[in-house]
């Protein structure tokens, strides 16, 4: 499938933001305190790269399969982030 220039720019901005945040968490060793959040950010960056590649070079069927399969892990990680924040705050 063909991507427009705007689609590519928006995807790249999101991917670079996720990668920058992940790098900062690792560099400043905040991953020790926010392990689940760091895992979520890393997973989101990898998922974004995989979905972009599948969308650009693969089929709609594979894109949908990967997207909805990854949603289960994404949901679990987001619940883990809520637990992690609650644990740190309380």
């Amino acid at each position: 499938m063909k991507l427009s220039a705007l689609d590519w720019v928006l995807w790249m901005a999101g991917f670079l933001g996720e990668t920058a945040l992940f790098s900062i968490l690792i560099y400043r060793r905040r991953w020790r305190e926010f392990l689940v959040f760091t895992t979520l950010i890393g997973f989101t960056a990898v998922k974004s790269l995989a979905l972009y590649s599948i969308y650009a070079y693969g089929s709609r069927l594979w894109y949908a399969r990967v997207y909805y399969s990854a949603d289960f892990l994404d949901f679990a990680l987001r619940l883990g982030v809520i637990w992690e924040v609650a644990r740190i705050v309380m």
Side-chain angles (χ1 to χ4, degrees), residues 2 4 6 12 17 26 45-46 49 53 55 62-64 76 80-81 83:
K2 181 113 169 73
S4 70
L6 179 61
M12 183 58 76
I26 297 298
V46 170
L49 183 61
S53 300
Y55 187 84
W62 275 105
Y63 181 85
V81 168
W83 172 79

Side-chain angles (χ1 to χ4, degrees), residues 26-69:
I26 297 298
Y27 177 74
R28 294 194 176 174
R29 294 186 175 97
R30 290 294 191 179
W31 65 271
R32 293 176 183 165
E33 189 174 350
F34 303 106
L35 183 61
V36 179
F37 179 70
T38 305
T39 304
L40 173 66
I41 297 301
F43 172 74
T44 304
V46 170
K47 181 178 80 169
S48 177
L49 183 61
L51 287 175
Y52 174 79
S53 300
I54 292 169
Y55 187 84
Y57 304 110
S59 69
R60 290 178 189 222
L61 176 65
W62 275 105
Y63 181 85
R65 286 180 180 171
V66 172
Y67 179 86
Y68 289 115
S69 297

